[in-house]
Every structure is written in structure tokens, then in C-alpha cells.
Amino acid sequence: MNRLAVLLLALACLVSRAEADEPRDFTQQQLTFFETKIRPVLVEHCYECHAAGAKIVQGALRVDHRAGLLRGGDSGPAIVPKQAEQSLLLKALRYDEFEMPPKGKLPDSVIRDFEAWIAMGAPDPREAVADPLIRSIDFEEGRKHWAFQPVTDPQLPAVKNESWPLDPLDHFILARLEASGLKPAAEANRHTWLRRVSLDLTGLPPTPGEINAFINDKSPQAFEAVVDRLLNSRAFGERLARHWLDLTGYADMIGTSNNVFAEHAWRYRDYLIESYHKDKPFDRFVREQIAGDLLPAESPEERAENITATGFLMVGDVEIVEPDKAKMEADHIDTQVSKIGMAFLGMTLGCVRCHDHKFDPIALTDYYGIAGMLRSSPATHKIPFGVWSTLNSTELPETPEQLAARQKLEAEHEQKLASMKGERDRLEAEKKAVSEQLAQLEQAAKTAANAAASEATSVSSATTPSTEEVAQAPANKEALTKRRDELAEQIKKLGPAIQHAEFFRSKIPKAFAMRDGEQPSDMPIYIRGNPYSPGAVVPRGTIQVASWEKLPEIPAGQSGRRQLADWLADRRNPLTARVMVNRIWQKLFGEGIVRSVDYFGTRGETPSHPQLLDHLATRFMQNGQNGWSQKQLIRSLVLSRTYRLSSTNDATAMQVDPDNRLLWRMNRERLDAEAIRDSLLAVSGELLTSHGGPALVLEEVENCGALVQQGVNPPNYNHRKSRPDQEFQRSIYLPVMRTNTTNLDRIRTHFDFVNPAQIAGQRSQTVVPTQALFVMNNELFRKRAKALAEHLITEFPQSDVRLEQLWLRVFSRPITDTERSAVTTFLRELNHAPTEANEKVGELVAWQELCHSLLASNEFIFRL
């Protein structure tokens, strides 16, 4: 029996004991009063929502037996015998604090009957019956589901064609194909494989030089050399980090209200890139993201990295404008629990906030066991802006060199700020002087006018303007007025700049990060997820069905996140390695071994190759010096025979296995938004190397608003101005907005970018007309086509060589004779300018159109 069932049984015993203590010797007259005056009203007006048989027992209140009324629901006991004024049921009937029944208030005579009934002790002969909503979870039975069974290391299956496998994993694929009477497709040619592996591992196509080097390398290690080069590149870290960000709800904005900027979010993004680039062991990767702040560190750099890693639990969509802070906390914890469940365990946990999982052996107590750890690590705090809150941030430790560099930067900033303030003071002083001169001119003009109007008035020569001064006055006034307005405009511009400089004067490195609260403790169950209806307190713990022993005791004063992280990263956990292996497989082969990559529960897909999944999970945990090397796993996958297969169809195989679940060919995949944009920049020669840093252009004054320390609304950000180099950076370094896009990343809205308010391990691959319109008309494609054409014309004067280079750049393969003939005709017909001067212009236009056509083609936008 699980802990929830024990708690409910204990509660039932308490209620039964309370009922036993209640006087039950009601008279026949009292019982007759109940049967004639009370029961009919309850049956007619209340049973539909508050009795056995209701689809959902509203508010957890049962009124079809006396125990239910005494126990009450989410809001407390419904009746207190002999205390009518303390009984919530009576308040509801009176429409005092509640309004029941909702269809209309009952007559006063009925309400007086209930008053009398409660006053006499609430006589009620109805006995409690078993609550159909309460179910116990049989964890031993639940562990029979394949995903909760321990990971095994199966033997390699025998295959007939023993020369086919290149990697042990190939045995599992070939054995299933042979058992189904199918043969794998032929291998893809070298050009196709090279483009495939380059795009999968880096999100970028190979360069002509890399293509020629591979094609000309006839050594047995040619494939390994390519894979090792790709795995060691920083581009690998950038590619894999973007996949993981889809599982976090990452954005550079906090929530969706008022465009509040997440100033430090980029540090978590850069942490991911470096972790993948350096092949951080996955078990360490897990521990750092859940409890990095609680891990020991040998240097300031490692300590800063560990702290930043916990951004995993911070960077999701948080509705920080929520005035109900208890609800905001509960909702954020729910997001964190759901994220842990999906990203690491492949399980849906959000629904367990209110009740036991409807389909999987996951109990309400499991949810609140994990939630208690997160509630013991508060992630938000109130700020002095109305009802607003914000994410907690932590100052990062610095090395002596980093501290010196930061102090120098701050000193330079202070000098700049002082210079701006000095300039403002100078301008204001000049404006004051000009204004005084204008005032003197106006006074002189008035004096002259008065003198002319009254000859009788005697004016001394010291105060009477000369004729020359009077004639010059309009010109002087116009010049002074113009100068005053110029000064006012300069002062007006300086104001926001100074405010901006003061707001961002501190350069202390910070990260959105978790930290334990002052009083970590167990958490009560929130009845139906309502933080204002606390139930029994649940000890902090993990998911019981996936546990192999009791969780180690959490030391006093600690949240338990360290213990949770150890449980997730333990080799005995049946889910963690399987889920991650399946995610990697899906990114390389298009579909997971378990197609429902984010859900391994009983209603999810079963593995197409269960033994292969466990084989890879075992290898994953053993790969590398201490195991858990993602690079080593990926290396094995892309060097397998299965990964080398072509994507061509076979009529027989299509009849037997139309969904290609047996992997008789490679799946064709459309590139995601980032890979399309980055590939465009790469083939046009415009892609710039970046080493990270802030995505938001907060240094530009016009992008920032409401930069004050307190007020009605917090500071905000609108991406009005980009940095000059952002147009040519990889997409992962561009700002991720929650409510809109920038001009540079609009491709995301057309090619199935994961909504940053959600998390998903596998993106959709839609094919819709707006995508075709985008590639034909958006300046992203047109600019890259022009840059590519200009580069080719400049570097390769001969048309034939130029075409060869174009095909290598865009399609990563040589041009065919048929294509060459068609393209030559196309260029000749399009380029019909008669003069030598116009001929060059016409040539650029023609080649630009050709480049654009290729960049907009399926062969470029798809990975074969």
C-alpha cells in the first residue's frame, strides 16, 4: 500500500473515530426531519456535483453521507454539528461566502430548515461508502512496464550477413530486417553521407575543401577522421546545445508580460555549448543542472559553472506579474517538476499535481516529494514594481584576473558616466545662459516698444536700446532660440543615456540560479493543486516505481536537490540513460527507437528495438573514462552501417514496413529553422564565429525602457536595434523572444521552432505554403543568394568552374551533366544585356537568381 493510501486510511479512521465520538442517538422525530426536509434538497440540488457517481466530485466535497459532510472538501468541514454559524454549508446556502447551488439561491424556508437541522446535531443515518476516486498504486505491478525495468546488457543477435555490421548496434537492426524478410538499402554515396553527418553533428554543411579532402581520402580511417573533426569542433557544441534548449523553455525574456528582459539567461546557453563541446559526462551534466550550487568545486571557474548550470530550473516561462504569490510559486514548481520529468525521465508529471497519474504508476506523493525539494529552493522574489516578481540571480565567483578585468571595465564605465553627466551640466548651463539672453532681448524689445508708444516717457541713455540694437534684435532672437532648442534636444537625449548608464553600471557577473532556502522542509499536498488547500505533509522523495531503494536521508538544512540529482544520474535508474540514448538516436535517424521521445509511460510508444535500446543505454553509461560520454555514443552511431544507408525507397520494404520502423533505409529530414539559416550563411561565406555572450542588445539605449529602480512596471526590452555582427552569427546566439521575433530570426516562426513557453524533445516538421513564400521572398534568402553570387563571380571567372563550386557549396555534391545543360540555358536566357557595362550587371542578376533557386530547393532544405 502506498503512502497516500496510508494517509487516506488514517484520515478515514480519524473521521470514523470522530463519528464514534459524536452522539448518534438521534430521535425518530429528528431522523424524520432529515428524511423529509434535508435529504430531498441534497439529492435534488447537490448530488450531481458532490456525490458518488459524479464525473468529478467538485471541491472534493461529498454530501451523500454524514462523514463526507463532517470531513468536508477543499475549503474545510461542510458542517459543524450544533454550530450553524460555523458551518460552511449554511454559508453557501445563504450565498454568504459561497453560492450554492450555483443555479439559484434556495428559498428562505429551506435555509431555515438547514439551520434547525444543524442546530439539533445534524442527524443523518447515511453511512460512508468506499470513495471510488481513491485508488492505490501497485508499484510492483507497475514495475513490469518495460520502461521501469532495470537496464540490461543483451547479447548481440546472430545475423546471416555477418559482413554487413560495422558496429555492434548493426546486429540488432539487421537481425530484425532478416527476420522480416527485408534487406537494408544500399549505402549512400560519400557526398550524401558527408553532408548528412555534417548537418547532424554541427548544423552546417561541409565546405568544398572538406568535401574534396574526404572524397580523396581512400584510407580505412576516412570516415572516422571526418567524425572526429566534427565532434571536436565548437559547432558541435552549438548544435547539440540548441537541441537541449528545446527541453528547457529557454528564452531571453522572463514570462510573456511587458517584455521584461532576462538579463543573465545567456550564461546558461553558453554553459550548454561548452558542456557539449568539452563532452561533459552526462551524469555530471544532470547533477549540475539539478544541484550544481550544492556540488564541491576546485576553482572559481568550476564554481561559477556549477551555479550557472542550475539555470535549467530557472529559464522557463514564469508569469512574474501574478499578484497571487502562492499560486505563482506553485505554478513555477509545477513547471520545474514537469521539466525534470520530461527531460530526464521521459515521463509526464504535471497532471500528478492534483491526483495520482491516471495511466502510469506515479503517485501524488511522488510529485510532492520532488516538489518539496524545489519549494525548499525558492526561485523567485518580489520586486518593488507593483505586483511583479523576478527570478533569483546569484553573483558568480571570479578569478583574480576576471576581477581585475571587471573592475577596469567598471572604472571605464564610471568615467564615461561622469563624462556624460559633465556634458549634461555644461549643456544645461549654456541653455540657462542662452535663455537669460533671450529674456534680456525680450525685455529690451518691450522697453523699445514702450519708448516709441509714449514720447512723454523719459528713458535714460543707459536703458534705451540703440537703433542698431533694435534692428539686430530679431536676428539675434532667432539664433538664440535655435541654439536653445538644440541644447534642449541634446539634454533630452542625454537623459535616457545617463539613466541607462546608471542602471547598468554594475558589471558583477550573475546567473539565474537555484539556491537552498533558509528553512528547507517537506511540503504538504495541495488538494487539487490549490496552494490554499494544504493536505497531508509528504516527505521529500523521488518516483517510487523507478526507485531501487529508499532515498538517502536528506541532511537538516538542505533541500534534497543533491539527493534528487544523484538519483537521476544513478546507473540503476531505469529511465535516465534510456531516455537520453533515445533522444540522441532520434536526432540522428529522424525517429526514436521509442517514437514518443518525451513519454515512456504506459500510453506511449513501445520500443521498436527494445534490446537495441538497452544495448545502447549500457554502452552509454560505460563509454569514456568514467562513462556517460555523449560524443562516444554519437561517434558509434554515425559510424554504423545503419547510419550509412541511403534514403531511397524500396517497393517491397514499403509494403512490409511503410513507416520504416525497422530502419531498412535512412529517413529524410527537413532541416530545422536554425540549420537552414546557419547553412545559408555558411554557403554564402558570411557566417561569423562567435564565442557567446549576451543575446539581448541591452547596451543600446533605444532597446531599453523604464530603467528605474522601482515603479509600476519593471524595466523592459524591445529589439529595435541589433549589433552589426548579429546578422551573420549562428542562430543560437540570437535573442529568443517570448511574444514576438526580431527581423533576424523570423525564420523560426515558419519552420516549427519550439514555442519557448513549452518544452519538446522533438520538433514538428510541417510542410505549408507559407514556408515556400518565405524562402522566395524573405530578405534572408535574397541577401544570401546575392552574397554567394558575388563571391563566386569574384573568385571563379570561368563559368564551368563557378557552377562546380556552386553545387559543392549548396548541395555538397558535383553538378550532373543534365543540370549543367539546363543551368547554362537558364543563365543565357536570363542574361540578355547587350552592352559590356550592362553585361556584368546582368551576369550578377542571373547568378543571383540561380543561387536563390538552389537555396530555396528541397535538396538544400532537406537532409537526405
Side-chain angles (χ1 to χ4, degrees), residues 565-580:
D566 289 340
W567 176 80
L568 287 169
D570 196 294
R571 292 171 185 259
R572 292 171 292 180
N573 192 306
L575 292 168
T576 306
R578 282 184 176 129
V579 169
M580 195 57 205

Side-chain angles (χ1 to χ4, degrees), residues 422-477:
E423 177 67 5
R424 180 188 60 186
D425 293 343
R426 184 190 67 78
L427 293 173
E428 287 179 342
E430 184 180 352
K431 179 173 175 286
K432 180 180 179 182
V434 170
S435 298
E436 290 175 350
Q437 289 179 282
L438 278 171
Q440 292 175 1
L441 282 178
E442 291 174 358
Q443 183 60 43
K446 290 180 181 179
T447 302
N450 292 336
S454 178
E455 295 181 355
T457 304
S458 175
V459 182
S460 66
S461 60
T463 58
T464 302
S466 66
T467 303
E468 183 178 352
E469 289 176 330
V470 173
Q472 188 65 28
N476 290 341
K477 183 177 181 181

Side-chain angles (χ1 to χ4, degrees), residues 233-250:
S233 69
R234 181 176 170 81
F236 170 81
E238 294 166 334
R239 181 63 174 163
L240 272 291
R242 182 57 259 182
H243 291 329
W244 187 260
L245 286 174
D246 284 358
L247 291 164
T248 68
Y250 175 88

Side-chain angles (χ1 to χ4, degrees), residues 113-124:
D113 289 340
F114 273 84
E115 291 174 353
W117 174 65
I118 294 173
M120 66 179 68
D124 183 353

Side-chain angles (χ1 to χ4, degrees), residues 655-709:
Q655 289 183 342
V656 176
D657 181 26
D659 292 335
N660 194 32
R661 295 299 293 137
L662 300 180
L663 269 296
W664 50 269
R665 63 172 172 84
M666 174 58 78
N667 290 309
R668 298 185 178 192
E669 294 292 307
R670 197 208 67 215
L671 302 183
D672 56 37
E674 294 90 337
I676 294 174
R677 179 181 174 276
D678 296 349
S679 295
L680 286 168
L681 290 167
V683 300
S684 67
E686 299 173 287
L687 184 64
L688 296 178
T689 300
S690 176
H691 293 283
L696 300 179
V697 191
L698 292 168
E699 66 271 19
E700 293 292 341
V701 178
E702 61 193 279
N703 289 343
C704 306
L707 298 181
V708 294
Q709 298 302 322

